[in-house]
Amino acid sequence: MKKEFIFIGPPGSGKGTQTIMLSKEFNLPHIDTGSLLREEIASGSQAGKLADSYISKGQLAPITLVASIIKNRISKEDCKNGFILDGYPRSSEQAEALDDILKEIDKNENAQLTVFYFEIGQDKLIERLVNRRSCEKCGAIYNLKTMKLKDENTCEKCGGKLIRRDDDTEEVAIKRFETYFKQTAPLVDLYKKRNQLITIDASKDINTIYKDLTGAIKENVHS
Ligand code: AMP
């Protein structure tokens, strides 16, 4: 059975950390729309310039732009056994667009879509975001407050440079939360009605969340 995983949760809920771990264990591509859009911006393309004008304000990039990035990516050969979507869909319109994309891609496939909702209170999230750093080279994610790094500028896994994302300032983070609650949070009910939603308590520590997540997959996802 083709495994298709979607992750929904507010900014800073730890989706990135967990989906990277899951991708390695299940050998499924980790598709993170935020990173794909940042790559587009770094390439200097017209699409990247357009995306940047939304990302810098904490708003969602245009639906057609993100849908075409996703469709291209999940049509690739390495997604034939499934994929992990981190940060897509983020609105009801994007969920509809994804339904259409999957109808086309999975015409002759036996696929199971499972949606994980990372539930967490808002209080800790801003603090997590402003203390977040990620490695420019390997994508590893760190929290300067909870992880005691020898050098706050260097990745302990590969020696790459640790950077703070431009949109991880308090001002943009608040806008990103507003966008999340207005546009993304309604997806929880939508997927719950379809019986595709599994809720994960994202306030726990990294290893416990991972154990809960893999336990839920064993229980609910066909092999
Ligand atoms: P993230 O890295 O997931 O926190 O995403 C960073 C930013 O990229 C978001 O605040 C949005 O501006 C943009 N973005 C990421 N995923 C999407 C999406 N599915 N649709 C539209 N914009 C997105």
Side-chain angles (χ1 to χ4, degrees):
M1 177 83 80
K2 184 173 176 186
K3 294 180 180 62
E4 301 178 336
F5 295 144
I6 290 177
F7 283 77
I8 297 173
S13 58
K15 301 187 302 295
T17 305
Q18 298 293 331
T19 45
I20 290 170
M21 288 158 78
L22 203 63
S23 161
K24 288 188 186 127
E25 184 177 339
F26 282 72
N27 201 18
L28 293 173
H30 170 236
I31 302 170
D32 160 11
T33 42
S35 295
L36 292 174
L37 290 167
R38 284 187 287 278
E39 275 167 27
E40 201 64 55
I41 295 171
S43 78
S45 69
Q46 274 312 108
K49 287 196 178 97
L50 178 67
D52 193 26
S53 65
Y54 290 85
I55 293 180
S56 59
K57 294 194 204 92
Q59 296 168 354
L60 295 185
I63 180 162
T64 46
L65 169 67
V66 188
S68 81
I69 290 178
I70 285 291
K71 188 171 177 190
N72 282 339
R73 183 64 191 86
I74 65 181
S75 304
K76 292 201 170 143
E77 180 62 19
D78 65 342
C79 291
K80 69 176 190 315
N81 294 324
F83 48 78
I84 298 170
L85 287 184
D86 172 5
Y88 188 85
R90 285 200 192 199
S91 66
S92 313
E93 293 77 17
Q94 289 191 0
E96 273 175 40
L98 179 64
D99 285 344
D100 292 341
I101 294 171
L102 292 180
K103 232 180 254 163
E104 205 182 313
I105 290 179
D106 290 341
K107 291 202 278 281
N108 305 314
E109 298 279 351
N110 204 1
Q112 182 183 5
L113 183 77
T114 312
V115 183
F116 295 96
Y117 164 46
F118 273 32
E119 190 175 47
I120 181 165
Q122 221 182 324
D123 40 343
K124 282 257 155 61
L125 292 175
I126 296 233
E127 192 185 287
R128 274 199 196 174
L129 285 184
V130 296
N131 286 301
R132 176 164 69 180
R133 298 292 181 275
S134 57
C135 174
E136 213 174 33
K137 214 161 123 194
C138 75
I141 302 167
Y142 296 91
N143 184 308
L144 295 187
K145 205 149 179 204
T146 56
M147 302 174 175
K148 297 279 166 254
L149 299 183
K150 278 186 221 112
D151 172 2
E152 297 195 341
N153 299 308
T154 310
C155 177
E156 295 196 342
K157 294 194 175 107
C158 76
K161 190 172 158 210
L162 293 187
I163 50 166
R164 175 180 175 172
R165 276 169 44 176
D166 292 343
D167 61 348
D168 272 349
T169 60
E170 194 159 343
E171 193 192 347
V172 185
I174 290 168
K175 290 270 179 299
R176 286 161 62 204
F177 283 118
E178 283 171 13
T179 304
Y180 171 80
F181 286 108
K182 218 160 110 192
Q183 295 184 263
T184 313
L187 291 182
V188 171
D189 276 343
L190 180 115
Y191 287 116
K192 205 184 266 172
K193 278 189 195 129
R194 292 189 186 175
N195 280 328
Q196 288 171 319
L197 193 91
I198 295 176
T199 300
I200 300 287
D201 179 354
S203 66
K204 298 182 182 172
D205 65 89
I206 292 178
N207 292 332
T208 313
I209 298 174
Y210 192 68
K211 239 168 102 188
D212 291 350
L213 184 60
T214 47
I217 291 174
K218 269 194 200 101
E219 223 172 277
N220 296 283
V221 178
H222 305 294
S223 48

